[in-house]
Amino acid sequence: MTEQLPAPMPVAVLGANGRMGAEAVKAIEAATDMKLVAALGRGDSLDRITAAGAQYVVDLTVPESTEANVRFAVEHGIHAVVGTTGWDAERLSGLKGLLANHPETGVLIAPNFALGSVLASAFAAKASKYFESVEIIELHHPDKVDAPSGTAVRTAQLIAAERNAAEIPPSPDATTSELAGARGCKVDGVRVHSVRLRGLVAHQEVLLGGSGEQLTLRHDSFDRASFMPGVLLGLRNVAAHPGLTVGLDGYLDLGL
Amino acid sequence: MTEQLPAPMPVAVLGANGRMGAEAVKAIEAATDMKLVAALGRGDSLDRITAAGAQYVVDLTVPESTEANVRFAVEHGIHAVVGTTGWDAERLSGLKGLLANHPETGVLIAPNFALGSVLASAFAAKASKYFESVEIIELHHPDKVDAPSGTAVRTAQLIAAERNAAEIPPSPDATTSELAGARGCKVDGVRVHSVRLRGLVAHQEVLLGGSGEQLTLRHDSFDRASFMPGVLLGLRNVAAHPGLTVGLDGYLDLGL
Amino acid sequence: MTEQLPAPMPVAVLGANGRMGAEAVKAIEAATDMKLVAALGRGDSLDRITAAGAQYVVDLTVPESTEANVRFAVEHGIHAVVGTTGWDAERLSGLKGLLANHPETGVLIAPNFALGSVLASAFAAKASKYFESVEIIELHHPDKVDAPSGTAVRTAQLIAAERNAAEIPPSPDATTSELAGARGCKVDGVRVHSVRLRGLVAHQEVLLGGSGEQLTLRHDSFDRASFMPGVLLGLRNVAAHPGLTVGLDGYLDLGL
Amino acid sequence: MTEQLPAPMPVAVLGANGRMGAEAVKAIEAATDMKLVAALGRGDSLDRITAAGAQYVVDLTVPESTEANVRFAVEHGIHAVVGTTGWDAERLSGLKGLLANHPETGVLIAPNFALGSVLASAFAAKASKYFESVEIIELHHPDKVDAPSGTAVRTAQLIAAERNAAEIPPSPDATTSELAGARGCKVDGVRVHSVRLRGLVAHQEVLLGGSGEQLTLRHDSFDRASFMPGVLLGLRNVAAHPGLTVGLDGYLDLGL
């Protein structure tokens, strides 16, 4: 008698023609515990999802269509893993209301699927209350238009929240003479420096300093492939997390 | 009516003439919530601890005397924070037996008081199950006689335990032609590399690699002062942790 | 009267179907001062080079054919830039003899076209006589079969030659207790450590340490595109360097 | 017949009670090829230098007295190694005039005696014309009052001069949306970022980026001892460099 393997998870990818979507298609096809049952591009009818029997969708589309996509999935009891941006408080609130009527369906909305990046931010926040000083350096390719990066802003906010809750004073700084910009920008009181360099992709360092010691948490994203382990981890865990989860860290076992 | 500050914690330092002990004396004298009531060197009678009214001791002595020192403290209901090595399974077992009779007394035995180092090891272990590859590089001054360092060995053991529990396969390695030693040594299956360089003190990097991404956790100890915030944190928390705690991470808020 | 731009350099690529060759084809087509006149693959006749009027060839083939390719070029007065391995002392000696009869023709044989890597090795060698300690860490993807890397071996040899000439003693090392391999391998007396990590491509650090200070020279190769600026620099300078040059550093302006 | 060792170099230290001067006294006393013949503090008569038979002086005093000290030395044919700041164009010009009358006497004025730092800046400038992008990160303890550091400013100026001479365009930067300061300050067109962190001393990284590759040159000063090898190297070479030399790199063998 042979062991019965569980049936592979039937997954549909929305936004399959975009750069991230194309990577997701490849990653799901390569995963032995998943089966790609539909790959939708711009203009394809959402009915293809249900027709194909998908029980999971990955949404990697655009801010204009992600809300309708996710609501369609939830209304049909299909779990959703979402990497598209544009989910403001109003949209999230509406989605929560809808999920209340579908208590067994799970949705994960994650601004960042790079496991290492999510871990680094969580560790940085947790560590920051044990150090006198903390600053962030983010480094990207020179075609990026915004500075600092969204990830750096979120990391600084997490750190600031943790330090404020623990009543840690601001990082010390005796600077009285500064060439404008030398000390970076401030996000919730945390200094952030943005480097732009040909050859780089997406990198971030959180530097924590105390008397006689330094802790450095660095994450390097070398290519988009780095997001796929996080997408697969999301798919494998979304059914076990009914309701709305924001942030991949909600699925990670980080209790130390 | 003025606010009543709590009375300062009365602390005795054992091994006060050693390099670590001298740092501890300075750190306790500088702490506004503590009072140094006794500083004992080699040959001083332990009765000075009780005569001075100490309710806390810091033991920074030598393996030959630490057990007697700690047992004396526990027998007198005095909390102990211990940085001395030499606590094997037999000694720890004996101490637990003694503590069972003193249920309100706390003992912390910590092989490493550098907060950043303890955090880095805990983070590395927790992160290691989300990455295909993990290796450790430790870097020290060239007068160190052992390689790898004790901290690197412990970090590798923590990582191996976490990965084994999660059934992560060994880090991939296609090496077929190696100049002996190039790939480092193995501790519980984890590769460790030891660098010795004039100018350095004590440094460690844990490198975690996955598809298209890398997470690096680095800790630098620049001088012995880096251990004192951990000693003070131990003293401030030992009374709230009756019984035996091994490792400073037991006192840190690392739930993420 | 308009300014006359010089005519573009007519270049043939040998090994154009290989991974490096394909990158070279793209790079030469994108260079405004060059014109790709021929792209040869396995089995193509070398006569196509002369028929196309090439005055420059890039050889990115295999050790079995590179010697015949380069000799053909030199015999026809065509400058050659060579990235193929397999040029031992005997082949080099024969090529020098041939070049003696073609005093205006230049050949560059370079084991490494990554400018940053070549610069880092040259700097490391030059700096190494001013520091007590030096060690090398090289980091690559885990599918690499040899450890240490060829670049690390060459860097160690350059460093050892420079230190020996300046009569610098070996790097200090008090290690008496070593877990086998912890301290890496030795190349001409220089310690080299090889890390293998998923997600990495090709990276190297030279660590130099002296009393109270450290100098670190790190090079990261993120993809094969990093070799093309060196190939183009070679092509642009080979005609001005008649005879044989081994190593791209021979063309770099490194006089400080 | 025994080999005759050369007589030790007779050296006087000016500013011997300052922090740097005290380090210099220790370093000269420890050097087997030197003899400390005088150590002058504030208010001591310069005649003590000649009375002691010094042939070399190290000036580690203050901007107010360094000019008179060095002129006294030159007038007595004594070589001078100078670490004091305050040598503007006018003072340097006057000193050159004086040295013209003492053609066998050497003076070295060095704003930075850390060998690794001087090497890193020289390498960075030389490498910078081979890369599309370059930025500088300097990291110091949080009690420093100026940002960026003087060393970072000088490094940026060296880099800018080298790139301008080679007609390299500015580093690419597509930033259109910046939180003020995120992209650092500009020194001669080179971006500089200043980090302030408890636990650090003085550190600098020059990041150079090109297509698919990065070169990083990092220098760490862990304590003032790092300046002494440079001071001794200056003393050992000053007699062989008559006239005025500005910058320790003038004595280093950096021809590559």
Side-chain angles (χ1 to χ4, degrees), chain A residues 140-143 195-200, chain D residues 124 127-136 159 163 168-174 183 189-191 206-211 213-216:
Chain A
H140 284 81
H141 59 85
D143 302 323
V195 174
R196 297 293 173 262
L197 213 69
R198 181 68 69 213
L200 294 185
Chain D
S128 69
K129 68 182 171 190
Y130 296 107
F131 290 88
E132 216 179 315
S133 301
V134 56
E135 300 204 5
I136 298 173
I159 288 170
R163 283 168 75 93
I168 310 293
S171 300
D173 183 1
R183 292 283 292 115
V190 177
R191 297 277 181 182
V206 180
L207 309 180
L208 300 137
S211 185
E213 70 168 338
Q214 184 181 5
L215 177 64
T216 305

Side-chain angles (χ1 to χ4, degrees), chain C residues 114-117 119-120 122-124 126-127 129-131 162 211-223 225-227 229 233 251-256, chain D residues 114-117 119-120 122-124 126-127 129-131 162 211-223 225-227 229 233 251-256:
Chain C
L115 284 171
S117 174
L119 289 167
F123 293 158
K126 196 46 82 172
K129 68 181 171 192
Y130 297 107
F131 289 88
E162 193 84 29
S211 184
E213 70 170 336
Q214 184 181 5
L215 176 64
T216 306
L217 305 169
R218 178 176 176 117
H219 180 255
D220 297 276
S221 261
F222 300 120
D223 65 42
S226 67
F227 297 111
L233 185 146
Y251 286 17
L252 299 181
D253 164 28
L254 295 178
L256 292 169
Chain D
L115 284 171
S117 175
L119 289 167
F123 293 156
K126 196 46 83 172
K129 68 182 171 190
Y130 296 107
F131 290 88
E162 193 82 29
S211 185
E213 70 168 338
Q214 184 181 5
L215 177 64
T216 305
L217 305 169
R218 179 177 175 115
H219 180 255
D220 297 275
S221 263
F222 299 119
D223 66 42
S226 67
F227 298 111
L233 185 147
Y251 285 17
L252 298 181
D253 164 28
L254 295 179
L256 291 168

Side-chain angles (χ1 to χ4, degrees), chain A residues 211-212, chain B residues 18-21 23-24 114 201 221-229:
Chain A
S211 184
Chain B
R19 291 184 302 183
M20 284 284 286
E23 290 284 336
V201 182
S221 261
F222 300 119
D223 66 40
R224 270 184 296 273
S226 68
F227 298 111
M228 292 309 129

Side-chain angles (χ1 to χ4, degrees), chain B residues 7-162:
Chain B
M9 301 159 51
V11 183
V13 173
L14 315 188
N17 300 326
R19 291 184 302 183
M20 284 284 286
E23 290 284 336
V25 163
K26 280 196 287 181
I28 290 162
E29 285 178 333
T32 55
D33 59 341
M34 298 184 188
K35 183 174 162 59
L36 182 76
V37 297
L40 281 68
R42 185 183 298 265
D44 286 340
S45 163
L46 295 177
D47 293 333
R48 287 187 47 200
I49 300 170
T50 42
Q55 293 174 17
Y56 301 86
V57 298
V58 178
D59 182 89
L60 299 164
T61 59
V62 290
E64 292 71 38
S65 45
T66 183
E67 188 180 20
N69 295 343
V70 175
R71 295 186 69 100
F72 177 91
V74 173
E75 284 161 1
H76 291 82
I78 298 171
H79 308 293
V81 169
V82 183
T84 318
T85 57
W87 284 88
D88 57 23
E90 193 183 331
R91 284 180 172 188
L92 289 172
S93 169
L95 179 59
K96 273 187 219 167
L98 181 63
L99 280 162
N101 298 328
H102 299 269
E104 300 193 344
T105 305
V107 174
L108 169 67
I109 297 182
N112 188 346
F113 279 108
L115 284 171
S117 174
V118 172
L119 288 167
S121 292
F123 292 158
K126 197 46 84 171
S128 68
K129 68 182 171 191
Y130 297 107
F131 290 88
E132 217 178 313
S133 301
V134 56
E135 301 203 4
I136 298 172
I137 303 172
E138 54 92 347
L139 312 95
H140 284 80
H141 59 84
D143 302 323
K144 186 171 179 60
V145 295
D146 55 320
S149 68
T151 297
V153 169
R154 278 188 297 272
T155 306
Q157 289 167 339
L158 287 171
I159 287 170
E162 193 83 28

Side-chain angles (χ1 to χ4, degrees), chain B residues 173-179 183, chain C residues 140-149 196:
Chain B
D173 183 1
T175 309
T176 54
S177 164
E178 180 191 1
L179 191 53
R183 292 284 291 114
Chain C
H140 284 81
H141 59 84
D143 302 323
K144 186 171 180 59
V145 295
D146 54 319
S149 68
R196 298 293 172 261

Side-chain angles (χ1 to χ4, degrees), chain A residues 115-116 122-123 126 129-131 211-223 226 252-256, chain B residues 116 122-123 126 129-131 211-223 226 252-256:
Chain A
L115 284 171
F123 293 157
K126 197 46 83 172
K129 68 182 171 191
Y130 296 108
F131 290 88
S211 184
E213 70 168 338
Q214 184 180 6
L215 176 64
T216 306
L217 305 169
R218 178 176 177 116
H219 180 256
D220 297 276
S221 262
F222 300 119
D223 66 41
S226 67
L252 299 181
D253 164 27
L254 296 178
L256 292 168
Chain B
F123 292 158
K126 197 46 84 171
K129 68 182 171 191
Y130 297 107
F131 290 88
S211 184
E213 70 170 337
Q214 185 181 3
L215 177 64
T216 306
L217 306 169
R218 179 176 174 116
H219 180 256
D220 297 275
S221 261
F222 300 119
D223 66 40
S226 68
L252 299 180
D253 164 28
L254 295 178
L256 291 169

Side-chain angles (χ1 to χ4, degrees), chain C residues 128-133 162-171:
Chain C
S128 68
K129 68 181 171 192
Y130 297 107
F131 289 88
E132 216 179 314
S133 300
E162 193 84 29
R163 283 168 74 93
N164 289 341
E167 298 184 9
I168 311 293
S171 300

